[in-house]
Amino acid sequence: MKTPVRPVAIVIASLALVIFTSSGIVSADTPEEPSGFAQAASAMNPLNWKMPQLRMPNFKSLLPSKAEKDEINEKKDGLFDQVGKTASNSWSKTKTALSPKNLNPARFFTTSSKSSVKTTPVNEKKPGFWSKLLSPWPEEEPEQTTVTDFLRQPRVGR
């Protein structure tokens, strides 16, 4: 009679396994410390990372208290209202400054500049360099105010 090889091999392998394994208490060896490279690799592994524990800050100290809220009487204008008012005021001042009635040259001169300056006597000593430099411009001859005064002027070329 012929026996199959495969079942016999399975029976021999299982008997060898039972014989070579001891039925005593199995205990593990003490764990070894990982090397420096193993520690560094473990620290770099994202699976070993832990999320930091963050607490939200308390903003209640920044908000006004109940007593301060009660003291508020009127609501202030918003940012857009302030910008609108500023732009409106600026435009009205620009229109006022550039209006044709305000561009009259007579308004630019004050009354003190229109008043006559005292003339100096002819026999006074002539002023020096610094006094000429720092003194006001000499007053020019008054212009002719009437037609007859204009016609009395000496003629050029005659």
Side-chain angles (χ1 to χ4, degrees):
M1 167 164 159
K2 217 171 177 190
T3 59
V5 179
R6 186 174 280 172
V8 174
I10 292 174
V11 171
I12 293 173
S14 60
L15 283 174
L17 187 60
V18 171
I19 293 170
F20 290 119
T21 57
S22 64
S23 62
I25 299 173
V26 179
S27 65
D29 294 335
T30 58
E32 292 184 18
E33 289 291 323
S35 65
F37 179 75
Q39 288 176 350
S42 175
M44 285 188 219
N45 186 358
L47 297 175
N48 295 335
W49 292 349
K50 295 180 181 175
M51 288 296 293
Q53 299 295 326
L54 298 175
R55 292 186 316 145
M56 288 298 293
N58 186 4
F59 291 111
K60 290 183 181 177
S61 61
L62 298 175
L63 298 174
S65 66
K66 181 71 174 164
E68 290 174 344
K69 286 181 184 177
D70 293 338
E71 290 178 8
I72 297 174
N73 294 333
E74 62 185 41
K75 182 178 178 183
K76 292 185 178 179
D77 292 335
L79 176 66
F80 290 109
D81 294 333
Q82 289 178 342
V83 170
K85 283 182 184 176
T86 304
S88 174
N89 290 343
S90 299
W91 178 244
S92 65
K93 287 180 183 178
T94 304
K95 287 193 300 187
T96 304
L98 297 178
S99 70
K101 68 178 183 178
N102 292 336
L103 294 178
N104 186 358
R107 293 191 62 215
F108 295 124
F109 301 109
T110 61
T111 55
S112 62
S113 65
K114 292 179 184 176
S115 63
S116 64
V117 180
K118 296 178 184 177
T119 57
T120 56
V122 178
N123 24 359
E124 264 190 28
K125 191 167 102 179
K126 292 185 178 181
F129 172 76
W130 290 108
S131 61
K132 282 182 185 178
L133 184 68
L134 300 176
S135 65
W137 287 93
E139 187 175 333
E140 295 181 13
E141 295 179 9
E143 293 187 25
Q144 307 301 326
T145 56
T146 63
V147 175
T148 54
D149 291 340
F150 177 77
L151 294 174
R152 284 187 192 147
Q153 294 183 49
R155 295 182 184 172
V156 182
R158 228 178 173 186

